[in-house]
């Protein structure tokens, strides 16, 4: 047997062994809510998390389990828990560590949903958040309080595209006895594995590149198993007896997997944002080709960047791989295979021209998602970030002409031709407007 | 629970149950560079079924303080001390790999406290490859990697863990990395230096169970046969399609075999 398999091999095989009875080679869809117990002892053992196996799909399911094991393998974590959406993955991670009166230090430059959850929802339950610039390490260190339970951020901020220096921020968090929790949706384990750089918990929206085809919602929490929860008394949810299991202290009985056990034994039991087995199957189909698709996403991104940089109608282009991007160096060091397939740009003529561009593309799809196999465009100022205050918008690096592009897998010449056409039309509309005004 | 043994703070998992001095006691001893988490699928399982479980972190390992002990003999005496401190007179002792050598030596030195013995993934000697010891001394993470990948069978390589969502390989690596630097080398040297296995095995008169993995690459199945010969009355169970980390790879099968032993010892 090979010592340890490569990325693409794990993507195809990890977490699954065909069974003796049917020999199904693809991962079967276990479309069932519940599982037969062998006897009462077996039932009790499953309830007490003493043995492997499944008892009720809200808690775990064989198809979802393959996805979890496969993601743990790819991200090099000790365990993973898959959930219904990326948002519920973030929520269950917060829930596993934070109680009323606790505090989070979070990046100010995150996906709008992440910001809203922390700023408006968690605060109603007494969990407060200090938002800081993820590239300002002194500010991160200064924001950590005695009641801080995690530092939270994204590797590549959506849609500002700033890049967090994971090992540097991990060091700051660890010096204060706090774990680093990272939303790695935009990089996927193919471009970077934050756990290997010192992060402790990794979250993905599986809805994006990992599923990769825009057909299924999903999220996952990968537990790095690399944080000492017993080093201080900050983490009673992991180091005090668990409400459901007599005297069980998760840190003592599950060690490196304590966090993921808390997620499963509280988040899935008591909240239950369960991924459907069917969606787990769809996401697994995507995961099986993640490596190949990411290579193509990056090749198309690089080619499109070249094209946009040199286009007369483009006011500005932003991507961490560009030499003038403020996070260029750290992006290249952390993600030598590429810094993600999101590009932002503005069209000459400002907000109106940018909106016109979005309405004139024909191949690219105007919709609220990223990481589809197809090329997507959106104007965050009027959509994903429209609920966010002007100050927070500015802090998230958003200008009102910003277009977010999620580069797809189409033939690059077709993407370029579509963009060229739409940019030119947007320019014309803008010029006509000026001409009318002048008359 | 935390107990003081020879004035050292020691962690002993009791399987998430309060220790019960009156219940029949099972003492689980982990292997080289490991911790009590070897017994993830045994400690709580048996504790919740009426046994009093003691699954310690050996000195210097996991959540226990102190220095790692340098000989199997010292570890056996330490286990004897633990049994006394925990208030038991007799235990059924179960050891995995190096922990199996400790169990044999405990039975040889202190036969009166041993009611029965369970030996998992073991031979009468563990002649550790000197290259592995050098690796453990010089480049510990490479040694963890080698042991974790060699230590698991097919399921480990494919991250197909009985607990949903868990990965054997990454869990195995993190457990080993949770020990202070140098502990693995100390353990491996203690294994290599131990030569009393044959004698200790021959001295066993208590009920005995030997559980071997067919695909074990650390203590090969063939060598385990010698142990079975040396303890002539022992029951031998071979588990197919599994590697050295049997207790986590095949928790259900291991527990079934151990139960058979506990019925014999009246534990
Ligand atoms: C970075 C990031 N995190 C989290 C989410 C939320 O994921 P989901 O839509 O699967 O709930 C998104 C979705 O847009 C995202 O882009």
């Amino acid at each position: 047997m090979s010592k340890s398999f490569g990325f693409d091999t794990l993507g195809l095989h990890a977490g699954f062994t065909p069974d003796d009875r049917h020999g199904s080679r693809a991962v079967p869809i276990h479309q069932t809510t519940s599982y037969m117990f062998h006897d009462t002892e077996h039932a009790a053992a499953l309830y007490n998390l003493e043995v492997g196996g499944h008892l009720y799909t809200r808690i775990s399911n064989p198809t979802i389990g393959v996805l979890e094991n496969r993601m743990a393998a790819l991200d090099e974590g000790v365990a993973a828990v898959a959930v219904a959406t990326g948002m519920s993955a973030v929520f269950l991670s917060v829930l596993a560590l934070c109680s009323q009166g606790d505090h989070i230090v979070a990046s100010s430059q995150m996906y709008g949903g992440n910001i809203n959850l922390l700023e408006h929802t968690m605060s109603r339950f007494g969990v407060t958040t200090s938002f800081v610039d993820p590239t300002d390490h002194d500010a991160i260190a200064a924001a950590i309080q005695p009641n801080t339970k995690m530092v939270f951020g994204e590797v590549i901020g959506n849609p500002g595209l700033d890049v967090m220096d994971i090992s540097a921020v991990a060091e700051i968090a660890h010096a204060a006895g706090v774990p680093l929790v990272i939303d790695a949706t935009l990089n996927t384990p193919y471009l970077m594995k934050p756990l290997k750089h010192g992060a402790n918990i990794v979250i993905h929206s599986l809805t994006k590149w990992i599923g990769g085809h825009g057909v299924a919602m999903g999220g996952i929490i990968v537990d790095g198993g690399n944080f000492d929860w017993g080093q201080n008394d900050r983490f009673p949810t992991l180091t005090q007896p668990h409400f459901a299991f007599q005297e069980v202290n998760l840190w003592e009985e599950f060690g490196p997997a304590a966090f993921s056990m808390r997620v499963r034994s509280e988040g899935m039991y008591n909240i239950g944002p369960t991924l459907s087995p069917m969606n787990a199957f769809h996401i697994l189909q995507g995961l099986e080709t993640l490596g190949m698709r990411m290579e193509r996403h990056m090749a198309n991104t690089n080619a499109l960047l070249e094209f946009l940089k040199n286009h007369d109608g483009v006011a500005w282009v932003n991507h961490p791989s560009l030499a003038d991007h403020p996070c260029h160096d750290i992006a290249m060091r952390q993600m030598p295979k590429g810094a993600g397939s999101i590009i932002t740009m503005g069209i000459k003529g400002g907000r109106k021209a940018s909106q016109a561009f979005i309405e004139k593309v024909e191949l690219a799809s105007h919709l609220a998602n990223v990481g589809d196999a197809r090329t997507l465009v959106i104007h965050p100022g009027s959509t994903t970030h429209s609920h966010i205050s002007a100050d927070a918008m500015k802090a998230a690096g958003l200008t009102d002409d910003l277009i977010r592009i999620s580069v797809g897998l189409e033939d690059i010449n077709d993407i370029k031709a579509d963009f060229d056409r739409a940019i030119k039309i947007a320019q014309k509309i803008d010029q006509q407007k000026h001409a009318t005004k002048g008359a | 629970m935390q107990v003081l043994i020879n004035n050292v703070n020691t962690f002993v998992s009791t399987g998430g149950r309060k220790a019960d001095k009156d219940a029949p006691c099972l003492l689980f001893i982990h292997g080289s560079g490991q911790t009590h988490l070897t017994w993830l699928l045994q400690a709580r399982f048996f504790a919740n079924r009426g046994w009093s479980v003691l699954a310690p972190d050996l000195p210097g390992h996991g959540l226990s303080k102190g220095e790692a002990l340098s000989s199997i003999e010292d570890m056996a005496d330490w286990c004897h001390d633990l049994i006394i401190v925990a208030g038991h007179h007799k235990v059924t002792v179960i050891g995995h790999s190096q922990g199996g050598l400790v169990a044999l030596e405990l039975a040889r030195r202190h036969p009166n406290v041993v009611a029965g013995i369970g030996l998992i993934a073991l031979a009468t000697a563990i002649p550790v490859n000197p290259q592995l010891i050098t690796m453990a001394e010089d480049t510990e993470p490479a040694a963890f990697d080698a042991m974790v990948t060699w230590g698991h069978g097919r399921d480990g390589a494919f991250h197909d863990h009985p607990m949903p969502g868990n990965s054997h390989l990454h869990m195995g690596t993190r457990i080993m990395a949770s020990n202070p630097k140098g502990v693995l080398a100390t353990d491996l040297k203690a294994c290599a230096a131990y030569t009393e296995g044959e004698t200790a095995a021959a001295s066993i008169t208590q009920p005995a169970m030997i559980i071997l993995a067919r695909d074990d690459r650390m203590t090969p199945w063939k060598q385990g046969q010698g142990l079975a010969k040396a303890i002539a009355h022992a029951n031998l169970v071979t588990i197919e399609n599994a590697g050295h980390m049997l207790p986590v790879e095949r928790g259900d099968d291991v527990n079934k075999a151990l139960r058979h032993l506990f019925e014999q010892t009246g534990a």
Side-chain angles (χ1 to χ4, degrees):
Chain A
M1 195 61 61
S2 146
K3 192 170 161 293
S4 51
F5 293 117
F7 189 91
D8 291 329
T9 306
L10 289 173
L12 286 159
H13 292 275
F16 181 60
T17 309
D19 72 21
D20 291 338
R21 188 158 173 208
H22 304 294
S24 305
R25 181 57 271 195
V27 179
I29 303 166
H30 289 264
Q31 192 66 47
T32 182
T33 57
S34 25
Y35 308 84
M36 297 285 288
F37 302 128
H38 307 156
D39 47 37
T40 50
E41 171 170 287
H42 180 228
L46 282 166
Y47 268 97
N48 289 326
L49 300 170
E50 292 159 6
V51 295
H54 308 280
L55 71 99
Y56 189 57
T57 288
R58 170 148 41 77
I59 319 305
S60 68
N61 165 285
T63 309
I64 299 168
V66 176
L67 175 62
E68 292 169 334
N69 287 14
R70 201 165 284 186
M71 281 302 296
L74 291 173
D75 251 330
E76 304 193 26
V78 297
V81 183
V83 292
T85 62
M87 283 316 306
S88 50
V90 177
F91 175 58
L92 290 205
S93 300
V94 170
L95 184 81
L97 295 181
C98 297
S99 305
Q100 195 175 31
D102 288 343
H103 175 255
I104 294 169
V105 174
S107 160
S108 57
Q109 318 223 357
M110 295 196 294
Y111 167 60
N114 289 346
I115 290 182
N116 284 335
L117 170 69
L118 299 179
E119 189 172 0
H120 300 295
T121 306
M122 294 319 302
S123 61
R124 286 175 38 229
F125 299 92
V127 176
T128 53
T129 299
S130 302
F131 291 97
V132 292
D133 176 347
T135 61
D136 184 345
H137 296 169
D138 293 340
I140 295 172
I144 298 174
Q145 308 173 3
N147 61 342
T148 301
K149 298 301 159 90
M150 59 165 77
V151 174
F152 180 53
E154 296 172 0
V155 178
I156 307 170
N158 175 9
L161 306 187
D162 51 90
V163 177
M164 186 186 266
D165 181 340
I166 300 298
S167 51
V169 176
E171 222 169 272
I172 292 166
H174 297 165
V178 174
L180 177 61
V181 180
I182 289 295
D183 179 337
T185 300
L186 267 67
N187 46 292
T188 80
Y190 178 80
L191 295 178
M192 185 203 172
K193 302 176 184 184
L195 298 176
K196 292 188 77 172
H197 295 250
N200 307 105
I201 308 295
V202 163
I203 294 165
H204 298 279
S205 166
L206 300 171
T207 317
K208 318 298 179 187
W209 290 263
I210 289 173
H213 297 78
V215 299
M217 302 294 299
I220 200 157
I221 300 162
V222 184
D223 184 348
N226 54 354
F227 189 80
D228 178 356
W229 302 106
Q231 66 181 283
N232 51 39
D233 53 11
R234 260 182 220 252
F235 308 103
T237 53
L238 306 184
T239 59
Q240 295 296 316
H242 190 298
F243 59 87
F245 308 107
Q246 290 100 21
E247 293 293 307
V248 170
N249 163 327
L250 296 174
W251 173 233
E252 289 179 355
E253 297 303 328
F254 293 92
F259 178 86
S260 55
M261 288 311 293
R262 182 77 193 192
V263 171
R264 203 181 289 283
S265 64
E266 181 178 37
M268 299 314 279
Y269 268 78
N270 297 2
I271 314 280
T274 304
L275 182 62
S276 80
M278 181 62 101
N279 278 0
F281 173 81
H282 283 303
I283 291 164
L284 277 165
Q285 298 312 293
L287 191 50
E288 293 191 351
T289 57
L290 180 64
M292 296 163 67
R293 286 185 297 103
M294 289 310 291
E295 264 175 40
R296 178 66 174 266
H297 274 298
M298 294 321 304
N300 277 359
T301 299
N302 293 335
L304 189 61
L305 276 171
E306 265 317 294
F307 172 78
L308 294 173
K309 256 186 345 196
N310 298 314
H311 199 292
D312 285 344
V314 174
W316 57 269
V317 193
N318 184 31
H319 189 268
S321 68
L322 298 177
D324 61 353
H325 190 283
C327 305
H328 174 79
D329 289 349
I330 183 62
M332 294 299 100
R333 227 179 323 129
Q334 271 185 177
M335 294 175 282
K337 285 191 269 189
S341 58
I342 299 286
I343 297 172
T344 56
M345 69 168 176
I347 305 287
K348 282 184 185 158
R351 183 186 175 106
K352 284 264 150 32
S354 289
Q355 282 175 331
F357 166 82
I358 279 181
E359 282 162 13
K360 294 302 170 194
V361 287
E362 287 179 345
L363 183 65
S365 309
H366 176 204
L367 54 75
N369 194 17
V370 289
D372 196 310
R374 287 154 282 261
T375 296
L376 315 175
V377 293
I378 198 165
H379 180 240
S382 43
T383 51
T384 51
H385 284 63
S386 61
H387 306 299
I388 294 173
S389 70
D391 282 351
M393 282 276 286
K394 213 169 155 202
L398 297 183
T399 51
D400 71 349
D401 62 341
L402 182 146
I403 292 166
R404 184 183 71 190
I405 305 157
S406 175
V407 183
L409 305 176
E410 297 93 344
D411 292 279
I412 184 64
N413 287 335
D414 296 332
I415 303 175
K416 284 187 202 166
D418 187 40
F419 275 40
D420 187 48
R421 228 190 89 263
I423 293 169
K424 283 179 179 149
I425 298 173
Q427 293 291 286
K428 261 191 215 135
I429 293 174
D430 187 52
Q431 278 155 16
Q432 278 165 3
K433 220 171 37 221
H434 283 292
T436 329
K437 257 194 209 152
Chain B
M1 65 176 179
Q2 291 284 344
V3 292
L4 268 185
I5 299 178
N6 308 324
N7 262 331
V8 174
N9 266 316
T10 302
F11 175 75
V12 183
S13 163
T14 52
R17 286 269 176 176
K18 287 229 156 63
D20 177 359
K21 288 193 177 79
D22 298 325
C25 182
L26 309 177
L27 172 62
F28 288 92
I29 309 171
H30 65 76
S32 300
Q34 303 291 323
T35 72
H36 70 282
L37 292 167
T38 294
W39 310 109
L40 177 74
L41 301 174
Q42 285 74 39
R44 282 169 305 112
F45 181 86
F46 287 108
N48 285 340
R49 279 161 189 74
W51 281 276
S52 182
V53 167
L54 301 176
D57 283 339
L58 289 176
H61 292 67
L63 304 173
S64 289
K65 304 285 185 224
E67 294 272 317
L69 302 172
S70 58
S71 75
I72 300 297
E73 289 84 347
D74 286 352
M75 295 177 205
D77 285 341
W78 183 89
C79 285
H80 184 253
D81 294 342
L82 164 63
I83 294 165
I84 308 287
V85 169
H88 289 282
H89 303 292
K90 254 196 182 345
V91 303
T92 298
V93 59
I94 304 101
H96 173 244
S97 194
Q98 172 192 297
L101 296 181
V102 176
L104 282 174
E105 185 62 18
L106 176 70
R108 188 172 82 95
R109 295 166 94 87
H110 308 281
N112 295 338
V113 301
V114 176
I117 188 165
L119 303 168
I120 305 175
L122 187 67
T124 50
I126 306 183
V128 181
N129 182 336
Q131 269 182 315
L132 180 61
I133 296 179
T134 310
M135 209 193 269
E137 283 173 329
D138 299 344
T139 50
E140 213 176 36
F144 298 158
D145 202 40
M147 282 182 71
V148 167
T149 46
W150 279 84
H152 290 91
R154 187 208 176 273
D155 289 357
F158 283 88
H159 302 262
D160 194 0
H161 197 286
M163 286 291 208
N166 284 32
S167 157
H168 299 87
L169 297 191
H170 298 308
M171 184 79 171
T173 307
R174 290 299 175 198
I175 289 171
M176 296 190 84
S178 73
N179 286 324
K181 204 163 176 327
V183 162
L184 175 63
T186 304
D187 281 351
L188 293 176
K189 283 189 270 190
C191 283
Y194 183 65
T195 53
E196 299 299 325
E198 202 65 58
T199 323
S203 77
I204 305 262
T205 54
Q206 299 92 330
M209 168 66 75
I210 299 168
I211 310 174
L212 303 177
R214 181 80 68 187
D215 303 333
D216 192 333
R217 288 177 290 178
M218 307 283 286
T219 47
W221 180 82
K222 258 198 186 150
Q223 277 157 36
Q225 301 306 303
L227 177 67
K229 278 210 190 80
I231 313 176
H233 65 283
N235 278 305
L236 172 66
V237 170
T238 293
I239 299 180
E240 305 293 337
N241 297 315
H244 188 66
M245 292 308 293
L246 265 180
V248 279
E249 286 185 60
R250 285 286 185 278
D252 292 351
D253 294 333
V254 166
N255 292 357
K256 195 168 142 204
L258 287 178
R259 241 187 178 164
H260 186 73
L261 170 68
F262 304 156
E263 275 159 21
Q264 289 180 310
T265 60

